Amino acid sequence: MKIVMVGAGYVGLVSGACFADFGHEVVCIDKQESKIAALKRGEIPIFEPGLSELVRSNAAAGRLSFTTDLVGPVSKADAVFIAVGTPSRRGDGFADLSYVYAATREIAQALSRYTVIVTKSTVPVGTGDEVERIIRELRPDAEFAVVSNPEFLREGAAIEDFKRPDRIVIGAEDERARQMMAEVYRPLYLNSAPILNTSRRTAELTKYAANAFLATKITFINEMADLCEQVGANVQDVARGMGLDNRIGSKFLHAGPGYGGSCFPKDTLALIKTAQDYGTPARIVETVAAVNDQRKRAMGRKVIAACGGAVRGKTIAVLGLTFKPNTDDMRDAPSIAIVTALQDAGATVRAFDPEGMEQAKATLPAGVVYCSDAYECVTGADAAVIVTEWNIFRALDLDRVKETMAAPLLIDLRNVYRPDQVRAKGFTYLDVGRGTQAPEAGTKTAAA
Ligand SMILES: NC(=O)c1ccc[n+]([C@@H]2O[C@H](COP(=O)([O-])OP(=O)(O)OC[C@H]3O[C@@H](n4cnc5c(N)ncnc54)[C@H](O)[C@@H]3O)[C@@H](O)[C@H]2O)c1
């Protein structure tokens, strides 16, 4: 099949490369000329494990190409996927659909035969109706159908998720379009991936419901972690005890600094707005978003408290900046609020991230000292904070870290270390909710 992917970001590029790998002929289109120029040179503008090889091999095989010109490829396409961003709109937090509608208008002008237009972007319920209305208005002569096919891939494991998805959701109102979608995903049908055929509106809402539920799970365990700290219980054991119940499941029950990233924060907000607009407020999700929002800066206060209540004139090393490991994505990363809180309190922040440095420089406030590795980062620091659980931070040479730091204080916001082992090395060690909080900041404590 001839497939066009409008938007070559995390979702568009991964989906495009995977569809090409299925054997389809794929053209990825993006407005950003520099991105397309880089892709044509074989350079991948984002960090995603395995993507580089997948793009290169499919481009070499002639199945995957890149362009800024939408008209030519769309006029020949069987299916056109919209994979542009839907960030939070400034002011009210609703999904900003301006990119989706701009892409829709461009696609409409280029249609020349029956084409399925598929929204892969996460869009509020009813957006497919509006996409259809716009195309009908601009091109009353066009033969087309609008389908919702939300994407559930996770950055960092995107290719695996795309090729072996838990499910594929296809929301279509038109049988011909549904058959085209079956053809697009045929290799996955053969792999027996569960395909859920729904109405278009149901598909749109399913994506938001799934993300809001995952955000709720994270926020729930984070609140349990706070309670564990007060009562001397261990949140990892609580999570295990909960997660072994099949009705609950163990995933997304890791206490930490709060969820971030390009999806959960904006998608929870958009769902909240949609639910309010339809007169059925999603109160649980409203609370989740508010609790999570406050948590990120509270992690900054936790660090300050660990430093004895003040960080003016102190140096804090922040290890990990991206919202999770194995991505360079800084969108809504907890590190932003944590670094800001520390700087507001007068600290000098040194920072290191294995893949996110470039994006961090464009995102974090000025004044951060960027370092080239974890050891340079902790040099002379009064405290080190693990914010993102990259593998390299799980296996630090703690003796070397202690030697280079001004004071051996480690605040592990991802619970990657065993408290007894770190304390045995002479560190003051704080984590999130494992009942192992140091009684007094800045002092060595006995192994738990
Ligand atoms: N990132 C994820 O993990 C993820 C997972 C599932 C769903 N989603 C959803 O997928 C959508 C895309 O997310 P993303 O992270 O890939 O965004 P992104 O910002 O990485 O990429 C979007 C791309 O679209 C391009 N673009 C915008 N308007 C365009 C136009 N008119 N024509 C051509 N290109 C255009 C931009 O230049 C950009 O490169 C969002 O709705 C998001 O919520 C993202």
Side-chain angles (χ1 to χ4, degrees):
M1 293 192 81
K2 287 189 189 339
I3 292 178
V4 167
M5 194 61 65
V6 181
Y10 287 86
V11 166
L13 195 52
V14 170
S15 311
C18 289
F19 280 143
D21 213 45
F22 292 169
H24 300 308
E25 202 179 300
V26 181
V27 183
C28 286
I29 294 167
D30 206 285
K31 279 250 175 277
Q32 280 183 48
E33 286 180 12
S34 57
K35 195 176 258 189
I36 292 300
L39 285 164
K40 281 183 169 169
R41 290 193 301 271
E43 294 162 19
I44 308 300
I46 54 170
F47 175 76
E48 180 61 45
L51 185 58
S52 185
E53 299 73 25
L54 198 69
V55 167
R56 261 190 225 121
S57 60
N58 282 286
R63 289 190 296 264
L64 181 62
S65 60
F66 305 98
T67 178
T68 51
D69 163 47
L70 182 141
V71 178
V74 168
S75 67
K76 299 186 204 85
D78 298 305
V80 178
F81 285 76
I82 300 177
V84 300
T86 49
S88 284
R89 189 163 66 188
R90 266 172 209 274
D92 67 359
F94 194 72
D96 179 351
L97 296 171
S98 58
Y99 303 100
V100 171
Y101 295 147
T104 301
R105 283 189 284 272
E106 289 177 58
I107 293 164
Q109 302 297 359
L111 294 176
S112 72
R113 58 180 182 147
Y114 180 78
T115 314
V116 180
I117 291 117
V118 190
T119 46
K120 204 162 229 341
S121 298
T122 302
V123 293
V125 66
T127 304
D129 302 357
E130 183 61 10
V131 167
E132 185 173 330
R133 191 196 63 74
I134 291 170
I135 300 175
R136 279 216 191 291
E137 191 175 288
L138 293 174
R139 288 291 307 277
D141 59 313
E143 264 199 287
F144 69 98
V146 176
V147 169
S148 166
N149 170 220
E151 183 49 57
F152 295 93
L153 62 78
R154 295 163 301 166
E155 286 174 24
I159 293 169
E160 176 68 14
D161 282 352
F162 196 92
K163 290 193 166 179
R164 268 172 280 277
D166 288 342
R167 78 306 208 183
I168 298 158
V169 176
I170 295 174
E173 307 297 329
D174 171 310
E175 192 42 42
R176 189 172 171 193
R178 209 178 276 290
Q179 279 170 14
M180 294 269 270
M181 292 302 287
E183 196 52 38
V184 167
Y185 280 106
R186 203 154 62 94
L188 297 186
Y189 276 88
L190 299 176
N191 268 352
S192 343
I195 313 259
L196 188 64
N197 282 301
T198 70
S199 73
R200 193 162 63 201
R201 286 186 161 234
T202 302
E204 288 169 337
L205 188 54
T206 303
K207 170 69 189 178
Y208 281 98
N211 271 2
F213 193 80
L214 292 172
T216 302
K217 243 181 139 178
I218 295 173
T219 307
F220 181 87
I221 203 67
N222 281 341
E223 286 204 322
M224 287 303 113
D226 291 348
L227 182 56
C228 283
E229 285 183 11
Q230 296 310 314
V231 302
N234 183 330
V235 74
Q236 268 177 342
D237 292 341
V238 170
R240 195 166 149 71
M242 289 171 63
L244 284 169
D245 183 329
N246 286 333
R247 293 168 302 175
I248 297 174
S250 59
K251 304 252 174 80
F252 279 71
L253 287 179
H254 302 287
Y259 62 78
S262 62
C263 291
F264 291 175
K266 77 171 177 68
D267 293 348
T268 45
L269 277 188
L271 179 60
I272 288 166
K273 294 290 167 193
T274 301
Q276 286 169 354
D277 283 354
Y278 281 86
T280 54
R283 295 222 173 80
I284 292 172
V285 188
E286 287 177 7
T287 304
V288 164
V291 168
N292 189 68
D293 215 34
Q294 289 157 25
R295 183 171 190 82
K296 298 183 197 176
R297 195 168 165 92
M299 291 296 115
R301 291 196 294 275
K302 181 181 174 105
V303 174
I304 294 166
C307 289
V311 289
R312 187 156 300 282
K314 290 191 174 168
T315 299
I316 312 293
V318 174
L319 298 174
L321 299 169
T322 51
F323 82 95
K324 67 174 180 182
N326 295 324
T327 181
D328 57 352
D329 202 336
M330 280 293 295
R331 287 178 279 187
D332 269 314
S335 65
I336 302 168
I338 295 169
V339 167
T340 309
L342 293 171
Q343 285 188 333
D344 286 350
T348 298
V349 174
R350 296 168 68 80
F352 170 68
D353 188 278
E355 294 293 340
M357 297 291 265
E358 237 172 82
Q359 297 214 17
K361 285 175 191 170
T363 312
L364 291 177
V368 174
V369 181
Y370 293 97
C371 303
S372 55
D373 66 24
Y375 299 102
E376 185 194 333
C377 185
V378 301
T379 302
D382 298 283
V385 191
I386 297 176
V387 177
T388 313
E389 67 278 33
W390 285 92
N391 271 343
I392 54 161
F393 302 143
R394 293 177 186 272
L396 292 171
D397 176 346
L398 291 176
D399 294 322
R400 187 171 161 200
V401 169
K402 186 173 168 231
E403 244 167 60
T404 47
M405 288 183 74
L409 171 57
L410 181 63
I411 300 137
D412 178 0
L413 297 182
R414 297 290 183 172
N415 291 346
V416 300
Y417 281 98
R418 281 188 49 188
D420 49 351
Q421 285 178 347
V422 184
R423 294 209 176 110
K425 297 272 182 197
F427 279 86
T428 299
Y429 176 80
L430 275 89
D431 56 22
V432 179
R434 290 191 292 182
T436 56
Q437 304 310 299
E440 206 184 312
T443 58
K444 288 180 195 171
T445 52

